[in-house]
Amino acid sequence: MIQIEDLRLVEALAQAPSLSAAARLLNVTPPALSARLRKLEATLGLALATRTSRQLSLTAEGERFAREGAALLAQLDALPESFRRDDSRLTGTLRVAAPFGYGRHHVAPALARFAQLHPDLHLQLDLRETPWPDKHDSDAVIHVGAVRDSSWIARPLAPNARWLCASPTYLRRFGTPAEPHDLLRHRCICIRENDEDVTLWRFRRPGVAKGARSSRTTARDSVRVVPAYTSNDGSVAREWAEQGLGLVLRSEWDTREAVAAGTLVRVLADWTFDSAPVTLLVPTRRGRTARLQALMAFLDETLGTPSRR
């Protein structure tokens, strides 16, 4: 007979890149996990995974078992909630992943307010350099930037323009670029995140469209900058720019206050650089728990744009 532990075993195998990593997820030793897997395969009479000392991958049957097992676990997890007299009382655990900077400044305060509304709910916030696509151990992911993987459901939360900024000290010393290709002669600060091509800065050139007096064209162009400094933390890159080290292309949400305070100056404001929209990612439309649906509605209300509220 299949046990709940068997479902969780295959769920861990689907999430982990190796047998050792799956064992860590379940807090067991690799030999113990391997023995449990062999026993389950013998019960089913089929192979669920192929494994070596370095790599693990599910067979077609294993993928099906993991998929259907995850649906069953979600139903079991949601079962206690269905017996609650007060539907607004949420219990259980919600695991949310978000990038460092946006997570600290926006997601963490929002989750604190959500926790106050639902004191019986256990929240886990995991701040990571690249929460996407490293998503398997999360119920929801807040992603900043383009989403290139369509396996999860993407729910737009807010637009997020990128501003090119530098300190007044830097601009007095090195001058202000007049157009993006002038950046080749400037010190640039690059942010390494989401496996993006961080030195290729794309932009749209403003101009008057033919036959129109005020409309603008949207011809797309790019410039390959040579980074003087690189960091995997956007807040660090912004602080370096404030200290006069160079120009930084950074999210509007992180530079707006510095620009208002005068520690940074927005440069090339007539050009539109590629945006980094804020997106909520969830694994599926089916089998969502009440707590996940409540979180989605709350984040849409608190982090979403006014037009979507």
Side-chain angles (χ1 to χ4, degrees):
M1 179 180 293
I2 301 299
Q3 306 291 327
I4 292 179
E5 291 76 13
D6 297 327
L7 301 181
R8 300 200 184 282
L9 167 65
V10 181
E11 180 185 43
L13 294 176
Q15 295 172 358
S18 67
L19 200 66
S20 297
R24 287 193 295 271
L25 287 176
L26 296 174
N27 197 28
V28 299
T29 64
L33 185 143
S34 184
R36 286 173 53 185
L37 177 57
R38 288 195 301 270
K39 182 179 178 181
L40 177 59
E41 289 177 326
T43 299
L44 296 172
L46 50 83
L48 296 175
T50 58
R51 56 270 197 194
T52 65
S53 59
R54 294 174 176 263
Q55 190 175 9
L56 177 143
S57 61
L58 293 181
T59 62
E61 292 79 8
E63 291 178 354
R64 178 187 172 188
F65 190 99
R67 183 170 58 251
E68 297 183 8
L72 290 172
L73 287 172
Q75 293 177 21
L76 289 172
D77 198 27
L79 187 60
E81 295 178 12
S82 66
F83 290 97
R84 299 287 183 184
R85 292 183 179 179
D86 183 3
D87 291 337
S88 65
R89 184 181 179 186
L90 302 180
T91 61
T93 300
L94 265 179
R95 302 163 299 177
V96 181
F100 287 119
Y102 192 84
R104 292 192 192 101
H105 289 87
H106 293 279
V107 180
L111 290 183
R113 296 193 294 273
F114 186 71
Q116 290 172 349
L117 295 173
H118 306 286
D120 294 325
L121 189 64
H122 179 59
L123 288 172
Q124 297 179 3
L125 175 60
D126 190 4
L127 300 182
R128 310 178 188 178
E129 179 183 343
T130 54
W132 183 265
D134 181 18
K135 58 195 179 291
H136 298 295
D137 58 349
S138 302
D139 298 303
V141 174
I142 307 296
H143 178 73
V144 179
V147 177
R148 298 179 177 84
D149 187 331
S150 60
S151 61
W152 275 27
I153 307 301
R155 184 182 182 91
L157 287 179
N160 177 37
R162 278 179 172 147
W163 287 2
L164 183 65
C165 299
S167 71
T169 301
Y170 176 88
L171 296 176
R172 284 194 298 268
R173 182 179 179 185
F174 295 101
T176 302
E179 60 100 17
H181 289 283
D182 290 345
L183 298 175
L184 297 174
R185 300 188 294 273
H186 279 267
R187 297 174 178 269
C188 295
I189 303 170
C190 290
I191 304 166
R192 187 180 66 253
E193 58 186 357
N194 297 332
D195 296 324
E196 294 181 357
D197 190 349
V198 299
T199 63
L200 186 65
W201 290 1
R202 299 180 179 87
F203 59 90
R204 294 187 182 276
R205 184 185 302 273
V208 178
K210 185 176 181 180
R213 293 184 177 181
S214 60
S215 62
R216 293 186 171 187
T217 62
T218 56
R220 205 158 182 258
D221 201 350
S222 63
V223 59
R224 175 74 69 180
V225 301
V226 178
Y229 309 96
T230 304
S231 175
N232 68 335
D233 190 305
S235 297
V236 168
R238 188 248 307 146
E239 291 170 1
W240 282 351
E242 289 183 89
Q243 294 165 11
L245 295 185
L247 291 132
V248 67
L249 186 61
R250 182 64 178 146
S251 293
E252 176 186 357
W253 66 263
D254 190 42
T255 54
R256 188 187 302 112
E257 291 185 3
V259 170
T263 58
L264 285 179
V265 175
R266 190 179 175 190
V267 179
L268 299 180
D270 289 337
W271 273 259
T272 302
F273 289 83
D274 270 5
S275 64
V278 181
T279 306
L280 173 64
L281 300 158
V282 293
T284 179
R285 289 188 176 92
R286 300 174 58 186
R288 289 176 184 167
T289 61
R291 56 180 175 268
L292 179 56
Q293 294 182 33
L295 176 69
M296 293 170 62
F298 182 82
L299 293 179
D300 186 59
E301 176 70 21
T302 56
L303 300 181
T305 58
S307 63
R308 299 187 68 246
R309 294 178 187 174

